[in-house]
Every structure is written in structure tokens, then in C-alpha cells.
Amino acid sequence: MTPVDTVRGRLAAARRKLWTDGNGWILLTVSGGWLLTLGVRIVYPALLPDIMGSFGVGYTGGGVLLSALWAAYALMQFPGGLAADWVGEKRVILGSVGSVLVAIVAVVVAPTYGIFVAATVLLGLGAGLYGTSRVTIVTDVFPENKTTAVSFTQAAGNVGTAVLPVVAGGIAVAFGWRLGFGYLVPLFVLVMVGIIAFIPRRTSAEPEAGAGLNRAFLDDLRGAVLNRDVILITLLQLSLMTYYQGMTGFLPTYLIDIKGFSQTFASTVFGAFFVTAIAMQFVSGLVADRYGQRRTIVLFVLIALPAAVALPVLDSRAAVIGATLMAAGVLGAFPPSHTYAVDLIPDALQGSGYGLIRTVYIGGAAGAPPVVGWLADGGQFDLAITLLGATTLLVVGLCIVLPDVTAGQ
């Protein structure tokens, strides 16, 4: 059997396992929701020049807007996970999608910058409810192929990040940037229908009788997250997310202002960045299920690190494009880092525990866009990109000291 046949066989086997007992519809619905809730946040960087021009703000102001979006998103990770433990994942993700839908409508009609920012914060809060339950649902439904299933949802999110901003940009050119958000409204309605039809009320273990936000619960939660391995994986994810937020938030602007790309071409390269990430994440799930999460995280970070650090010193258009696409390799490290973290948390605290971890690392990384914007306003855009690449060195070091959890599944 050739290596190609082996890969095809493994892909076919994974596809069969993910589609058994009607679970494929669950995976598609959850992935569709992630596609939209992640993709709509990446519409902001694609339309950032139009937004800044419309409301008269600079790079630092644009970074603060992106930071507000991500901070609001982070704020809801723990409450979203906690709510999933108490009332079930279905109600949480349904509320998430509904809130984002309302926020998009508000963004489209916002008459002032203040209302626009408030709608953006609401969008971040609503989207924040989705992230934790998205991971716990697929890890519960697909226990034997959880990293592959998480990789599928993560890759679906990157379809959203690759496609939605490009479509939004085209619509913005023809009809204005507000409709670059507005076209998403019917897609969110469709996902809401899928959630109602296919998602079970809950997939995780029922909380114990009398469970709630009491002393015993808080003691259990503290014990679940305040241990060496959980703290280290949280720091690892903080490093990955700092890179992600800083890089994706300003990548189109960097390509336009520093590398001299046109806005249309920069948007296309931005979309290609996420297309590359889709492939990276599909492969990373298969690799992690076979060889373990730690090795996979290091592999994909080492793919991206040289490219990100080299990007500021490259001049030719071909080299810049190649480095930009390789810099997407870090996104392949996210699925194994997610499943590694979930594996460390007891089942009964999975939603709240992992939600708290996500609040910490996503909220901490929300400081990256304003720093990038501040450096850009000071003429140090290249330095900002280099520093973002350097943050991933911490990931490699942490993987060396973290133990194996589910290698070889």
C-alpha cells in the first residue's frame, strides 16, 4: 500500500466514524455555527480600513476596537461554560447565535461610533458563549476521534475566516461596508434552525444534585484549574492566541501599508492565509490522534515561526505571499491544544473549567491588537510582526515540560 493510499484510508475511516448514528448532523451544525461566529469576527480586520475611515479613527483606535471585540468574547467563555454545565450545551449555543444575530443588525444600522462599538461588544459577548460548548460538544459526541472532530470544527471556522471577509469586502465595494456585515443575517438564522433540530439538550455529564455556584463547586473548580499542567497549557494557549489576534487583526493593513499590496489583493492573500490554515488543521487533527498533542503543537509552531519572523525583511511579492501562508501554521496547533486542555479537566467541570481557561488566555491576548496598533502608529509595524512571531517560542518551551496526556489514541 502506498503512502497516498494509507492517507486516503485513514481519511475514509475518520469520515465513517464521524458520520455514524446521525452524529454527522451534530458535527455539521456545530461547525456551521463556528464558521459564522468565528468568521464574523474576522470580517472586522477585512473592513477595518473602511470602518476607520468612516468613523475617523487611527491604527491605535482600530486596535482598541479589535481588543474590545476579543475582550468581550473572552469574558463570556467562563459564563458560557458554566451555563453549559447547568442548563445544557444546546441552550447556550442557541443563545449565542441569537445574540450575534441581534448584534449584526445593530452594526448595520448604527448611526454613531459609540453605538457601533456597543454593537461590536454585544457581538463579542454573544460569540463568546459559543466557543467553549463547541469544543465540549464534539469531544463528548466523538470520544474516540475527538481531536479529528475538533479539527473539523476548527477548520470550518477557518472556512468562515477565509470566505466571509472576502465576500464582505466585495459587497462593501459594491454596496458599502455595512452590508458587508448584513449579508450574514440569513446564514445565522439557518444555523439557529439546525441547532433546534439536531443538537441534544446536553452532551456532558449532568451536574450533581444541588450543584451550583457554591463553596463546594468553587473548591472543585479551583482544584481542577489551579494545578501545574493546566496553568502551563493555559500559558501555551495564551501565546498562541496572542499571535493569532495580533497577526490576523492587522495582516491586511500590514500588507497594504508596508508591503504595498492593493486592498483587493491583500484581502485575497488574507483569505488564502485561512485556506492554508484549513489544511493545517485537518492534518493536525489526524497527526495528533496518532502521535499525541504535544508533538503536533510543536510541529505546527515550527512551520510558522520562521515565516512570521522573516516576513518583515522580505521584499519580493512572491516571498511575502509564501511567508504569509506559512505563518498560518500556528493555527494548526490550536486543535491539539484544545483537546489537551479538555483532557485535563474532570467531566463534570468540563464546560466551566475550560471556559475559565479560555477567558484567561483569550482575554489576556486581547491586549495584542492595541499594542500592534500603537507600534504601527509609531512607525514600527515591522517590529510588531516580529514580536508576534517570537511569542510562539514560549509554546515550544512549554511543550517540552508538559507531559503526554492522550498520545497514541
Side-chain angles (χ1 to χ4, degrees), residues 81-135:
L82 191 65
D85 284 340
W86 288 351
V87 304
E89 292 83 359
K90 179 174 185 172
R91 291 179 182 177
V92 172
I93 64 172
L94 187 61
S96 168
V97 173
S99 298
V100 175
L101 178 60
V102 171
I104 292 173
V105 173
V107 163
V108 171
V109 302
T112 67
Y113 188 60
I115 295 176
F116 176 80
V117 172
T120 297
V121 170
L122 176 61
L123 189 150
L125 293 172
L129 290 171
Y130 202 94
T132 301
S133 293
R134 181 262 311 186
V135 175

Side-chain angles (χ1 to χ4, degrees), residues 156-180:
N158 281 307
V159 171
T161 56
V163 175
L164 300 190
V166 175
V167 175
I171 292 175
V173 170
F175 303 106
W177 65 266
R178 293 178 186 271
L179 288 183

Side-chain angles (χ1 to χ4, degrees), residues 158-373:
N158 281 307
V159 171
T161 56
V163 175
L164 300 190
V166 175
V167 175
I171 292 175
V173 170
F175 303 106
W177 65 266
R178 293 178 186 271
L179 288 183
F181 288 100
Y183 86 97
L184 297 169
V185 168
L187 300 179
F188 274 95
V189 172
L190 182 62
V191 168
M192 291 182 70
V193 172
I195 293 171
I196 294 170
F198 300 119
I199 304 301
R201 184 181 71 85
R202 71 161 53 247
T203 60
S204 59
E206 289 277 358
E208 296 179 3
L213 200 59
N214 51 38
R215 178 66 177 272
F217 170 80
L218 293 176
D219 287 342
D220 289 342
L221 181 61
R222 187 181 303 111
V225 300
L226 291 183
N227 63 73
R228 172 187 178 275
D229 292 344
V230 172
I231 291 172
L232 291 179
I233 193 64
T234 303
L235 289 174
L236 184 150
Q237 292 182 305
L238 172 61
S239 300
L240 291 174
M241 185 56 70
T242 296
Y243 175 95
Y244 177 83
Q245 289 190 33
M247 184 68 76
T248 61
F250 281 96
L251 184 57
T253 305
Y254 178 77
L255 294 176
I256 293 168
D257 291 350
I258 304 301
K259 298 303 181 182
F261 289 14
S262 69
Q263 185 168 5
T264 300
F265 193 69
S267 297
T268 302
V269 175
F270 189 49
F273 175 93
F274 289 104
V275 170
T276 304
I278 294 169
M280 297 281 189
Q281 292 183 337
F282 268 123
V283 173
S284 76
L286 296 172
V287 172
D289 281 335
R290 184 170 179 84
Y291 297 106
Q293 292 104 325
R294 290 189 312 142
R295 294 177 182 177
T296 306
I297 292 168
V298 171
L299 171 63
F300 284 90
V301 166
L302 292 181
I303 289 173
L305 175 59
V309 173
L311 186 58
V313 301
L314 298 174
D315 293 322
S316 75
R317 174 165 293 197
V320 170
I321 293 171
T324 300
L325 298 184
M326 293 302 292
V330 164
L331 280 75
F334 275 103
S337 75
H338 291 323
T339 55
Y340 188 105
V342 170
D343 284 337
L344 295 175
I345 300 171
D347 288 345
L349 296 168
Q350 203 171 73
S352 54
Y354 190 52
L356 182 58
I357 290 173
R358 286 176 61 84
T359 292
V360 171
Y361 80 76
I362 297 174
V371 172
V372 173

Side-chain angles (χ1 to χ4, degrees), residues 369-385:
V371 172
V372 173
W374 176 71
L375 288 171
D377 278 335
Q380 299 294 325
F381 222 151
D382 283 334
L383 175 62
I385 298 299

Side-chain angles (χ1 to χ4, degrees), residues 23-37:
N23 289 341
W25 290 110
I26 297 175
L27 184 61
L28 288 179
T29 300
V30 172
S31 299
W34 187 239
L35 183 154
L36 294 177
T37 55

